[in-house]
Amino acid sequence: MLKLIRLELRKSKFTFLKGVLIADLAILVLMLLLAFTGMDDGEFGTYGDLFQGVSVFVKATYIIFASVLISKLVIDEYKNNTITVLFMYPVPRKMLMAAKLIIVFLFTFLSIWLSNIVISGILAGVGYFLPNVIQGALTQKLLLTHLITAGTDALYAAGIGLIPLYFGMRRKSVSATIVSAVLIVMLISSGFGNFRMGNLLGISVSLALAGVAIAYLSIRKIEHQDIS
């Protein structure tokens, strides 16, 4: 499986790391403007609010990123009919599809978790040198809680990021894949004040399990699926 994943990454010319850096830089600049220039009118008044804001932006960005990756690794293969050639390899179809979806899952999980930690760390560093902007103390307990929350958020989001596969595969459509991801992001980011739909454990777990189930069914059916 590891060899398949490496081959898939090499074949698709995995250039998403550059996209990750650009996205993280954009989120960092946005958060600096909102938190340290007063543009947010006090919405990020504490470190807890600041870290939650980073989580919302990072999660939304990389769930959409996951849909782009699904389009590139899976949907485009069907649209261009290269999947026919791929399935002629002496490797079970299930393993080929599983390798693609593992890449999407791991990319989403690692991007969200690491981006969350790095951006939050930089903002906390800026807050240290501008002590009167962000209220409250930056305690070890708060940092540990954020670290754990970032990990669980990344895990849920990696599962949620697989849901657009269902919509993309129905019509073999890249636009349907990405639009469905945008709608999912709008759903889990909606709310008021500090409340977000995505912060509800039941919603996050249900959507994540739905994404994993869609991936499992896609792998399970691939052996008997008509690719013509």
Side-chain angles (χ1 to χ4, degrees):
M1 182 60 75
L2 284 176
K3 187 178 288 186
L4 278 177
I5 291 174
R6 279 200 297 268
L7 288 172
E8 195 63 45
L9 291 174
R10 192 179 306 166
K11 188 183 72 172
S12 61
K13 299 177 181 175
F14 200 70
T15 56
F16 281 80
L17 289 180
K18 185 178 178 182
V20 169
L21 292 175
I22 293 172
D24 282 356
L25 185 60
I27 295 170
L28 176 61
V29 171
L30 178 64
M31 289 302 299
L32 284 171
L33 290 173
L34 291 176
F36 295 98
T37 65
M39 288 176 61
D40 67 307
D41 199 22
E43 189 170 344
F44 300 113
T46 67
Y47 282 103
D49 295 337
L50 188 67
F51 292 159
Q52 189 178 34
V54 173
S55 294
V56 170
F57 284 120
V58 167
K59 196 160 55 176
T61 300
Y62 287 105
I63 286 177
I64 295 174
F65 239 111
S67 70
V68 176
L69 198 52
I70 288 172
S71 300
K72 185 176 178 63
L73 296 179
V74 181
I75 308 300
D76 273 350
E77 294 265 26
Y78 280 90
K79 281 189 69 178
N80 301 328
N81 211 27
T82 53
I83 198 77
T84 307
V85 179
L86 184 67
F87 286 162
M88 292 173 68
Y89 293 171
V91 179
R93 290 184 183 184
K94 287 182 178 179
M95 290 186 69
L96 291 169
M97 181 61 87
K100 291 173 180 290
L101 297 183
I102 287 172
I103 289 172
V104 176
F105 185 90
L106 290 180
F107 169 82
T108 312
F109 173 77
L110 291 174
S111 297
I112 291 176
W113 193 38
L114 295 176
S115 298
N116 212 332
I117 292 171
V118 171
I119 295 173
S120 298
I122 293 173
L123 291 173
V126 174
Y128 176 80
F129 291 103
L130 299 171
N132 296 324
V133 179
I134 305 298
Q135 304 301 315
L138 183 61
T139 63
Q140 191 174 2
K141 182 181 178 183
L142 179 61
L143 288 173
L144 182 61
T145 301
H146 179 58
L147 190 66
I148 296 171
T149 304
T152 53
D153 267 357
L155 190 62
Y156 298 146
I160 294 170
L162 295 171
I163 294 178
L165 176 68
Y166 172 78
F167 298 97
M169 287 294 283
R170 284 180 67 86
R171 293 182 177 275
K172 309 295 185 292
S173 166
V174 170
S175 56
T177 311
I178 296 174
V179 169
S180 62
V182 172
L183 292 176
I184 291 167
V185 165
M186 290 173 64
L187 172 68
I188 63 175
S189 301
S190 63
F192 51 87
N194 288 329
F195 172 78
R196 297 282 181 277
M197 289 286 286
N199 291 343
L200 297 175
L201 183 63
I203 297 286
S204 295
V205 172
S206 299
L207 290 175
L209 290 176
V212 172
I214 288 168
Y216 170 74
L217 291 175
S218 299
I219 294 169
R220 186 181 171 189
K221 293 191 302 185
I222 198 72
E223 292 287 357
H224 309 289
Q225 193 175 51
D226 182 13
I227 58 173
S228 60

